[in-house]
Amino acid sequence: MKVTLIKYTPEPERAVAMSARLCYSAAGAEELAKTMSEAQVDKLIEKLFTMGHLSTFEHVSFTFAIEGVSRVLTHQLVRHRIASYSQQSQRYVAEHGFEYIMPPSVANKPEAKVKYEALMRQIQQTYDELVALDVHQEDARYVLGNATETKIVVTMNARSLLHFFEKRCCLRAQWEIRNLANAMLTAVQAVAPRLFAKAGPTCVTGGYCTEGDLSCGRVNRDKPL
Amino acid sequence: MKVTLIKYTPEPERAVAMSARLCYSAAGAEELAKTMSEAQVDKLIEKLFTMGHLSTFEHVSFTFAIEGVSRVLTHQLVRHRIASYSQQSQRYVAEHGFEYIMPPSVANKPEAKVKYEALMRQIQQTYDELVALDVHQEDARYVLGNATETKIVVTMNARSLLHFFEKRCCLRAQWEIRNLANAMLTAVQAVAPRLFAKAGPTCVTGGYCTEGDLSCGRVNRDKPL
Amino acid sequence: MKVTLIKYTPEPERAVAMSARLCYSAAGAEELAKTMSEAQVDKLIEKLFTMGHLSTFEHVSFTFAIEGVSRVLTHQLVRHRIASYSQQSQRYVAEHGFEYIMPPSVANKPEAKVKYEALMRQIQQTYDELVALDVHQEDARYVLGNATETKIVVTMNARSLLHFFEKRCCLRAQWEIRNLANAMLTAVQAVAPRLFAKAGPTCVTGGYCTEGDLSCGRVNRDKPL
Amino acid sequence: MKVTLIKYTPEPERAVAMSARLCYSAAGAEELAKTMSEAQVDKLIEKLFTMGHLSTFEHVSFTFAIEGVSRVLTHQLVRHRIASYSQQSQRYVAEHGFEYIMPPSVANKPEAKVKYEALMRQIQQTYDELVALDVHQEDARYVLGNATETKIVVTMNARSLLHFFEKRCCLRAQWEIRNLANAMLTAVQAVAPRLFAKAGPTCVTGGYCTEGDLSCGRVNRDKPL
């Protein structure tokens, strides 16, 4: 998996803080942007986060190029609707010589690994044969596995990212999208540490768990009644 | 493919017309709902459609149960973000004995069909073997094909449906999601004929085509300059 | 203020429960809809709510006709973006003889009330004079007060409503939109009691408060760390 | 009115083009971003626009600080839901000494102007008196006019902006929000001329009009049947 933060709104923390200040001030936005100190930005973002006033976090967006992930992952990913996606198309891009993702639980079991690899070769062969029989690649791809590697560009604003990290950094998320979420979190924390200082699953950010019987048990406390 | 309209807002046409009238009237909503004749509803909906005042079409929603479709289709479907989805999970539902979709272009070529079916059997066998080797089904499913049958419940409001039909009833859409879109269109036209009287691709609704070089050629006229 | 629930998805609780069951079952949606008992619906909805799996709550929508509210209220209301609105237009509807809303804090102070009413009469007079001077009503309305009565039709799905109730039933919300939220909550609880059994501000639903220094003090506990 | 583009995604045109190329290419996003020439970016954006493949335009966002506008304008503005807003609050910011907007149709009629200004003074006086009588400013503001000046920070992605320009640069939009839309369009064309080369109302971009009887008459041609 390769996750690259390719674009983001410049000075994201200042942009959020300035937008928030505007709501409670008679001064204009530009004036506010110029005169806020780093310490003021810091303090204001912490307050916004604590009070759950996250609409101001929407003013900054982050765009990621993601490669080396399966279509299992992207089918889960694109369910997050407050986001924008551009995905490599299996209708227009031929999959002769496709790469594939192998779950660690398979890779770590030699017997499983052998069967998995053999099936991937078989899938490749059948795909190639179907195309050779003049089946268009958009139909031939019906035989491709969920494991097939894909590429996708994703843009989310900071508020949507916080929600994404809450759901997908959780140990109950599947390993692949959790790995993606963690990589995205690391990338945004590098450029906007204050915005994402407390990002993550509710056990980390709130000390409680909503997963019920399926909880990983990291915290014992349910969401407070 | 089985498409069932399981729920929808009662009296959808009256609901849209009443909401629209409210914008231009000093009277209240209830009063408007009661006093509008069928002919007035009819005329008003046509006018709203022609003028592109489609926000009023959002007040009514339609929920479909969709079965017998592939994960190719659902991966395309869930890209429509102004909609709500509940999909059968391959994490929680075991796929021993999965059904699969076969594209007509494969079904109609005996040689292709044989290869396709053989591969599906091979996928089933490998999936079962992986699970037998204690690979959790959420990881075993990486070998499942795009062709694997899935079920999904979808809710869209009428405006979002009009957009969906414009894009997915087009001959440039892939056959499977186009079949779905046509089945959904038939279902909503049966209960709300006025709302969907002019639904479909732009060649049908506007007499022009935006597909450029990829156009099916049904109309020659580009979008007017 | 007059709040009327004019339309909603039939059998909303069964619709939610059925959609949720589909995700975890090999059976189809229609079959599930038929065979679930009331007790099963009840139990499943409670579980979905507790675990925060609220996407299934999106399949059901509720449409309200709202009258006798100010434009203060509607300017706050339409900030909720996962919703659909049709509002009485001040561009197209003349405001000769407009009604207005008076805050209780004004109504309860005779001296304030007198001044408020006098100003409203003055506004009406100036509006009428501007129109008489051939100022179009869409410009004449610049003099109308925030207090001016308006009408609006609103549709939200159950998930969006839960969010709306969390924010707007809170004592920190302004009295007018809080009154609206409470009236909407009463209306939906009458037809879908299970879906909205635990709706309301976080002090009621979770026993904690995120309002910080601005908290009403009903609960002392902050959001758990 | 003062409109300032305060933040935007760097290299917006390249970001859009690169995301689009990914869909149709086996190469990765970073590689594509580096190797595309200006001419390729140019040509691709034009093609995307013509074919209506605008989802790639969502990857870039633009943030504006807007001052010197009325609450008539912001009530219209915030109806655009695929956008993010932070607005100066009349609950938390006192309006002693508020500024106000005057429509040109009033400003150009001396008799109307005098009445308008007199009423604004009267409103200010009553607002101040109510606050002096211990009416909280969140309630005192019920007397403030639609004309009252406000400030707002708005973020939209390029696709949402194109829709906004289509609706609000139209001569049928009210003068104030049309002035805003034109100022925003000028600002984004300066930094992303290719993305917004064909932005505007449908009479400009498509040569047709959907306003029916209310059309300004700039073009006679209806939307093609």
Side-chain angles (χ1 to χ4, degrees):
Chain A
M1 183 186 299
K2 185 176 169 193
V3 180
T4 314
L5 175 60
I6 51 176
K7 298 277 181 217
Y8 61 95
T9 310
E11 294 188 289
E13 294 164 327
R14 186 160 290 270
V16 168
M18 178 272 290
S19 303
R21 274 289 293 279
L22 183 81
C23 301
Y24 305 104
S25 162
E30 278 189 294
E31 186 187 330
L32 293 172
K34 279 178 201 153
T35 59
M36 292 183 81
S37 70
E38 289 299 299
Q40 283 174 313
V41 168
D42 204 356
K43 193 174 164 188
L44 183 48
I45 287 175
E46 191 180 344
K47 188 173 177 184
L48 292 168
F49 193 88
T50 306
M51 297 185 69
H53 291 188
L54 296 176
S55 63
T56 51
F57 281 57
E58 298 175 22
H59 292 296
V60 296
S61 288
F62 299 82
T63 301
F64 304 86
I66 299 165
E67 303 175 51
V69 296
S70 74
R71 288 177 67 93
V72 167
L73 180 147
T74 58
H75 206 320
Q76 294 176 339
L77 176 61
V78 300
R79 293 293 297 276
H80 292 269
R81 288 161 294 181
I82 304 183
S84 299
Y85 302 100
S86 296
Q87 184 168 6
Q88 191 184 40
S89 168
Q90 291 185 332
R91 298 185 73 190
Y92 298 109
V93 179
E95 292 282 12
H96 307 299
F98 68 82
E99 307 277 330
Y100 57 86
I101 309 306
M102 184 183 293
S105 65
V106 173
N108 294 332
K109 280 203 180 75
E111 198 180 349
K113 187 167 183 250
V114 166
K115 289 176 189 297
Y116 193 93
E117 290 173 337
L119 182 63
M120 291 297 142
R121 283 193 299 274
Q122 186 57 47
I123 288 174
Q124 181 70 79
Q125 187 182 319
T126 303
Y127 177 86
D128 292 346
E129 287 170 347
L130 290 175
V131 173
L133 286 167
D134 281 336
V135 172
H136 189 280
Q137 67 197 23
E138 77 174 13
D139 283 347
R141 68 156 162 158
Y142 275 66
V143 302
L144 296 176
N146 286 333
T148 311
E149 192 264 343
T150 185
K151 296 173 176 60
I152 193 164
V153 172
V154 183
T155 299
M156 290 192 199
N157 66 43
R159 185 187 201 175
S160 193
L161 278 171
L162 285 172
H163 177 80
F164 179 74
F165 296 142
E166 181 177 311
K167 296 299 181 195
R168 301 299 190 174
C169 293
C170 169
L171 283 172
R172 288 270 308 123
Q174 196 163 359
W175 61 273
E176 195 182 8
I177 200 164
R178 192 174 66 242
N179 288 350
L180 171 66
N182 285 330
M184 288 166 65
L185 178 52
T186 300
V188 295
Q189 282 180 332
V191 301
R194 291 158 179 149
L195 293 182
F196 299 101
K198 293 183 183 167
T202 57
C203 56
V204 170
T205 60
Y208 64 89
C209 178
T210 61
E211 294 295 325
D213 299 345
L214 299 171
S215 174
C216 68
R218 187 196 271 177
V219 298
N220 289 317
R221 198 145 52 104
D222 285 349
K223 191 171 181 182
L225 186 62
Chain B
M1 182 185 300
K2 185 176 169 194
V3 179
T4 315
L5 175 60
I6 51 174
K7 298 276 181 216
Y8 61 94
T9 310
E11 294 188 289
E13 295 164 326
R14 185 160 291 268
V16 168
M18 178 272 291
S19 303
R21 274 288 293 281
L22 183 82
C23 301
Y24 304 104
S25 163
E30 278 189 295
E31 184 187 331
L32 293 171
K34 280 178 201 153
T35 59
M36 293 183 80
S37 69
E38 289 299 297
Q40 283 174 314
V41 169
D42 204 357
K43 194 174 166 188
L44 183 49
I45 287 175
E46 191 180 345
K47 189 174 178 185
L48 293 169
F49 193 88
T50 308
M51 297 184 69
H53 289 188
L54 296 178
S55 63
T56 50
F57 280 57
E58 298 175 21
H59 292 295
V60 295
S61 288
F62 298 83
T63 301
F64 303 87
I66 300 166
E67 302 174 52
V69 296
S70 75
R71 288 179 66 94
V72 168
L73 181 147
T74 57
H75 207 321
Q76 295 176 338
L77 176 61
V78 299
R79 294 292 297 276
H80 293 269
R81 289 162 294 182
I82 303 182
S84 300
Y85 303 100
S86 297
Q87 183 168 6
Q88 191 183 42
S89 167
Q90 290 184 332
R91 296 186 74 192
Y92 298 108
V93 180
E95 292 282 12
H96 307 298
F98 69 81
E99 308 278 328
Y100 56 86
I101 309 306
M102 185 183 291
S105 65
V106 172
N108 294 332
K109 279 204 182 75
E111 200 181 345
K113 185 166 183 255
V114 166
K115 290 176 188 297
Y116 194 93
E117 290 172 338
L119 183 62
M120 290 299 141
R121 281 191 300 272
Q122 186 58 49
I123 288 174
Q124 180 70 78
Q125 186 182 320
T126 302
Y127 176 86
D128 293 345
E129 288 170 348
L130 290 175
V131 173
L133 286 166
D134 282 335
V135 173
H136 189 279
Q137 67 197 24
E138 77 175 12
D139 283 347
R141 69 157 163 159
Y142 276 65
V143 303
L144 297 176
N146 287 332
T148 310
E149 193 264 345
T150 186
K151 297 172 175 59
I152 193 165
V153 172
V154 184
T155 300
M156 290 192 198
N157 66 44
R159 185 186 200 175
S160 192
L161 278 171
L162 284 171
H163 178 81
F164 180 74
F165 295 142
E166 181 176 312
K167 296 301 179 194
R168 302 300 190 175
C169 292
C170 169
L171 284 172
R172 287 271 307 122
Q174 196 163 358
W175 62 273
E176 194 182 8
I177 200 166
R178 192 173 67 244
N179 288 351
L180 171 66
N182 286 330
M184 288 166 64
L185 178 52
T186 300
V188 295
Q189 283 180 331
V191 299
R194 292 157 179 149
L195 294 183
F196 299 101
K198 292 182 183 167
T202 58
C203 56
V204 170
T205 60
Y208 63 90
C209 178
T210 61
E211 295 293 326
D213 299 344
L214 300 171
S215 174
C216 69
R218 188 195 271 178
V219 300
N220 288 315
R221 197 146 53 102
D222 285 349
K223 192 171 178 181
L225 186 63
Chain C
M1 183 184 300
K2 185 176 168 194
V3 180
T4 315
L5 174 61
I6 51 175
K7 297 277 181 216
Y8 59 95
T9 310
E11 294 188 289
E13 296 165 327
R14 186 161 290 271
V16 168
M18 177 272 290
S19 303
R21 274 288 293 280
L22 183 82
C23 301
Y24 304 105
S25 161
E30 277 189 294
E31 186 187 330
L32 293 172
K34 279 177 202 154
T35 60
M36 293 183 80
S37 70
E38 288 299 298
Q40 283 174 314
V41 168
D42 204 357
K43 193 174 165 190
L44 183 49
I45 286 175
E46 191 181 344
K47 189 173 177 185
L48 293 169
F49 193 88
T50 307
M51 297 183 69
H53 290 190
L54 296 177
S55 63
T56 51
F57 280 56
E58 298 176 20
H59 292 295
V60 296
S61 288
F62 298 82
T63 301
F64 304 86
I66 299 165
E67 303 175 52
V69 296
S70 75
R71 288 178 67 93
V72 168
L73 181 146
T74 58
H75 206 320
Q76 294 175 338
L77 176 61
V78 300
R79 293 293 297 278
H80 293 269
R81 290 162 293 182
I82 305 184
S84 300
Y85 303 99
S86 297
Q87 184 168 5
Q88 190 183 41
S89 168
Q90 290 185 332
R91 298 185 72 192
Y92 298 108
V93 179
E95 293 280 13
H96 306 299
F98 68 81
E99 307 278 330
Y100 56 86
I101 309 306
M102 184 183 293
S105 65
V106 173
N108 294 333
K109 280 203 180 77
E111 198 181 349
K113 186 166 182 251
V114 166
K115 290 176 188 296
Y116 194 94
E117 289 172 339
L119 183 62
M120 291 298 141
R121 282 192 299 273
Q122 187 57 48
I123 288 174
Q124 180 70 78
Q125 186 182 322
T126 304
Y127 177 86
D128 293 346
E129 288 170 346
L130 290 175
V131 172
L133 286 166
D134 281 336
V135 172
H136 189 279
Q137 66 196 26
E138 78 175 13
D139 283 348
R141 69 158 163 160
Y142 274 66
V143 303
L144 296 176
N146 287 332
T148 311
E149 192 265 344
T150 186
K151 296 172 175 61
I152 193 164
V153 172
V154 183
T155 299
M156 290 192 198
N157 66 43
R159 186 187 199 174
S160 193
L161 278 172
L162 285 172
H163 178 81
F164 179 73
F165 296 141
E166 181 176 314
K167 297 299 181 197
R168 302 299 190 174
C169 292
C170 170
L171 283 172
R172 288 271 308 122
Q174 196 163 359
W175 61 274
E176 194 182 9
I177 199 165
R178 192 174 66 244
N179 288 351
L180 171 65
N182 285 330
M184 288 167 65
L185 178 52
T186 299
V188 295
Q189 282 179 332
V191 299
R194 291 157 179 151
L195 293 182
F196 298 102
K198 293 181 184 168
T202 58
C203 56
V204 171
T205 60
Y208 64 90
C209 178
T210 61
E211 294 294 325
D213 299 344
L214 300 171
S215 174
C216 69
R218 185 195 274 177
V219 298
N220 289 316
R221 199 146 51 105
D222 285 349
K223 191 171 179 181
L225 186 63
Chain D
M1 183 185 300
K2 185 175 169 195
V3 180
T4 315
L5 175 60
I6 51 174
K7 298 278 180 216
Y8 60 95
T9 310
E11 294 189 289
E13 294 165 327
R14 185 160 293 268
V16 168
M18 177 273 290
S19 303
R21 275 288 293 281
L22 183 82
C23 301
Y24 304 104
S25 161
E30 278 190 294
E31 186 187 331
L32 293 171
K34 281 178 200 151
T35 59
M36 294 183 80
S37 70
E38 288 299 298
Q40 283 175 314
V41 168
D42 205 356
K43 193 174 165 189
L44 183 50
I45 287 175
E46 192 181 344
K47 189 174 177 184
L48 292 169
F49 193 88
T50 307
M51 296 183 70
H53 290 189
L54 296 177
S55 63
T56 52
F57 280 57
E58 298 175 20
H59 292 295
V60 296
S61 288
F62 299 82
T63 301
F64 303 86
I66 300 165
E67 302 174 52
V69 296
S70 74
R71 288 178 67 95
V72 168
L73 181 145
T74 58
H75 206 322
Q76 295 176 337
L77 175 61
V78 300
R79 294 292 297 275
H80 293 268
R81 289 162 293 182
I82 304 183
S84 300
Y85 303 99
S86 297
Q87 184 167 5
Q88 191 182 42
S89 167
Q90 289 184 333
R91 297 185 73 191
Y92 298 108
V93 180
E95 294 281 13
H96 307 298
F98 69 81
E99 308 277 329
Y100 57 85
I101 309 306
M102 185 184 292
S105 66
V106 172
N108 294 333
K109 280 202 181 77
E111 198 181 349
K113 185 165 182 257
V114 166
K115 290 177 188 296
Y116 193 94
E117 290 172 339
L119 182 62
M120 291 298 142
R121 282 192 300 273
Q122 186 57 48
I123 288 174
Q124 180 71 77
Q125 187 182 321
T126 303
Y127 176 86
D128 293 345
E129 288 170 347
L130 289 175
V131 173
L133 286 167
D134 282 335
V135 173
H136 189 279
Q137 66 197 24
E138 78 175 12
D139 282 348
R141 68 158 163 158
Y142 274 66
V143 304
L144 296 176
N146 288 332
T148 310
E149 192 264 345
T150 185
K151 297 173 175 61
I152 193 165
V153 172
V154 183
T155 299
M156 289 192 200
N157 67 43
R159 185 186 201 176
S160 192
L161 278 170
L162 285 171
H163 178 81
F164 179 73
F165 296 142
E166 181 176 312
K167 296 299 180 195
R168 301 298 190 174
C169 293
C170 169
L171 283 172
R172 288 272 306 123
Q174 195 163 358
W175 61 274
E176 194 182 9
I177 199 165
R178 191 173 67 245
N179 288 351
L180 171 66
N182 285 331
M184 288 166 65
L185 178 52
T186 300
V188 295
Q189 283 180 330
V191 300
R194 293 158 177 147
L195 293 183
F196 299 101
K198 292 182 184 167
T202 58
C203 56
V204 170
T205 60
Y208 63 89
C209 179
T210 60
E211 295 294 324
D213 298 344
L214 300 171
S215 174
C216 69
R218 187 196 272 177
V219 299
N220 288 316
R221 197 147 51 102
D222 285 348
K223 191 171 179 182
L225 186 63

